[in-house]
Amino acid sequence: MHSFGIAGAGLLGRLLAWRLARTGAQAQVFDAAAGPAPAFDAQGPAAFSAAGMLSPLAERDHADARVASLGWRSIALWRDIVAALPAPRPFFAERGSLLVAHRGDLPSAQRVLARLAGETRAAPEALDTAALARLEPALPPPAHAWLLPGEAQIDPLATLAALHAAAEGVAWHWRRPVAQALPGRLQFEGGDWAEFDCVIDVRGLGAAQSLPLRGVRGETVWLHAPGHGLTRPVRLVHPRHRVYLVPRPDDLLFLGATEIESEDRSPVSLKSAVELMSAAHSVLPVLAEARILRLDRHLRPALPDHLPRTVHEDGLLRINGLFRHGWLMAPALVQDALALLRQEVVA
Ligand SMILES: Cc1cc2nc3c(=O)[nH]c(=O)nc-3n(C[C@H](O)[C@H](O)[C@H](O)COP(=O)(O)OP(=O)(O)OC[C@H]3O[C@@H](n4cnc5c(N)ncnc54)[C@H](O)[C@@H]3O)c2cc1C
């Protein structure tokens, strides 16, 4: 039986631990955080702060075809992962998403659509008022709307909790920051070492001494909006932010997100909060009476090319740079990484 030392219990760390546990491997996970639950202090996993949109088509607005391709594969993998988790299963839905624009923003929307035309697996479908009303009866018709078919969404909090709970036999070590991840061994802050057949470094931004990573700040608003009625994520063409409204179970609506070139982890600014909330209110006026549950922020771990990177050598695997697409790409990246490890184990 092979032993794995995983540095980082965020999205990749939990997915890897769960997958390895199912193969009967011996896995230990080490994380700097105090425990498995979210603290919303911008320090633990960025994954807790994410919207959980699985948007291979919409992300072609700025991302490479490789991101979309990993994304389409991952949507199918998430379907199987969620089905394999014990009940109550995390919320996961494949209903597509909407792109909407106010009257004056049609030229901007057309520029977005031109970029999405690079995607071969799916294309935006223009919706007239009747078609939109059939899909989202609670949404007051915006001037322009398109369905982005095939897109999906997942509940990040419930999924991270479920992967942690279902990873049988995995040893989780909290408040155990890793200083160095080297082939076959981890060094912890404080100086002690532990040895494994294979070390997996998935510390997100915490691995910045090993990879040219930078953090990209994202701010979000969590709303309680009973009766809001939305059934799928809605993106608004907006001059400054990629604004989206994501419905979650229990009448929650998640508004995101700013994308700011800064590693500032301090609380959400007034300007960002006002811009996100007024944009959301312009799409769904019923939000006037929504209650603000949380203003959250975190840093997306990005490499210079904004693409994910898997680095593999004997006894060491690093996966990082998931940027704004971690939920979209993680299952496919983990599947490919485990295939690499199987070759190493067999060799
Ligand atoms: C506002 C926002 C919205 C987002 N929305 C989406 C979305 O809708 N769809 C999507 O696909 N993606 C989204 N993302 C991106 C996604 O959250 C990230 O790409 C993903 O979380 C990266 O996963 P990871 O496992 O690499 O890192 P993380 O999830 O950040 O996990 C890293 C882990 O390493 C631990 N760690 C750090 N340093 C150390 C250390 N020295 N020793 C031990 N452990 C350490 C951390 O505590 C953490 O648990 C969003 C991100 C943000 C911030």
Side-chain angles (χ1 to χ4, degrees):
M1 193 191 298
H2 288 267
S3 65
F4 292 86
I6 302 177
L11 173 56
L12 287 170
R14 294 183 196 212
L15 208 41
L16 280 157
W18 178 74
R19 289 284 309 263
L20 285 169
R22 283 162 65 90
T23 67
Q26 237 179 47
Q28 298 197 52
V29 186
F30 303 89
D31 200 287
F40 299 112
D41 58 359
Q43 296 293 339
F48 278 128
S49 298
M53 284 193 297
L54 309 176
S55 306
L57 180 52
E59 290 296 322
R60 284 306 306 275
D61 190 7
H62 289 268
D64 196 79
R66 194 177 145 209
V67 170
S69 157
L70 288 163
W72 294 118
R73 263 178 69 203
S74 291
I75 289 177
L77 289 167
W78 276 127
R79 195 184 301 140
D80 295 343
I81 292 167
V82 170
L85 288 169
R89 297 191 175 84
F91 171 71
F92 167 74
E94 295 177 85
R95 301 182 185 134
S97 71
L98 295 183
L99 175 70
V100 302
H102 294 309
R103 194 160 308 283
D105 291 327
L106 184 58
S108 307
Q110 281 168 336
R111 282 193 291 277
V112 172
L113 292 169
R115 290 190 288 269
L116 303 197
E119 181 50 31
T120 50
R121 297 267 302 259
E125 297 167 12
L127 298 172
D128 61 19
T129 310
L132 180 64
R134 276 194 298 278
L135 286 176
E136 292 293 342
L139 188 68
H144 308 283
W146 296 265
L147 174 69
L148 306 186
E151 297 204 331
Q153 70 173 112
I154 192 160
D155 182 339
L157 268 67
T159 307
L160 290 169
L163 288 170
H164 172 255
E168 269 175 41
V170 171
W172 302 86
H173 305 273
W174 305 104
R175 296 185 202 275
R176 196 76 165 114
V178 170
Q180 277 197 86
L182 298 176
R185 58 203 188 117
L186 288 173
Q187 186 182 32
F188 301 99
E189 276 180 20
D192 50 326
W193 292 86
E195 300 204 344
F196 305 91
D197 294 322
C198 182
V199 157
I200 307 182
D201 184 6
V202 281
R203 285 174 291 164
L205 264 190
Q209 85 281 44
S210 313
L211 290 166
L213 287 158
R214 73 180 200 288
V216 179
R217 177 174 165 96
E219 296 156 302
T220 62
V221 184
W222 300 47
L223 298 177
H224 185 232
H228 64 73
L230 271 193
T231 65
R232 46 175 68 68
V234 176
R235 288 169 187 268
L236 172 68
V237 174
H238 185 275
R240 284 171 42 78
H241 306 300
R242 297 187 208 162
V243 177
Y244 49 72
L245 293 77
V246 179
R248 285 190 182 165
D250 302 324
D251 294 322
L252 294 183
L253 256 190
F254 182 99
L255 309 185
T258 58
E259 192 172 311
I260 300 173
E261 277 300 337
S262 164
E263 296 198 342
D264 178 359
R265 295 179 193 253
S266 68
V268 175
S269 72
L270 176 140
K271 183 178 179 189
S272 297
V274 167
E275 286 182 349
L276 289 174
M277 288 191 270
S278 60
H281 179 248
S282 75
V283 174
L284 202 57
V286 71
L287 291 184
E289 284 306 318
R291 295 299 185 257
I292 300 166
L293 296 184
R294 177 175 297 124
L295 296 170
D296 189 27
R297 74 290 177 202
H298 214 303
L299 304 179
R300 307 172 179 95
L303 287 163
D305 59 5
H306 287 180
L307 288 172
R309 192 175 303 175
T310 299
V311 183
H312 179 226
E313 58 184 285
D314 238 12
L316 177 65
L317 179 79
R318 298 186 203 278
I319 316 176
N320 218 313
L322 274 58
F323 187 38
R324 51 178 287 130
H325 313 114
W327 284 93
L328 178 62
M329 303 182 298
L333 290 170
V334 164
Q335 188 180 51
D336 293 345
L338 292 180
L340 283 174
L341 292 182
R342 266 194 297 277
Q343 283 168 18
E344 179 182 316
V345 168
V346 172

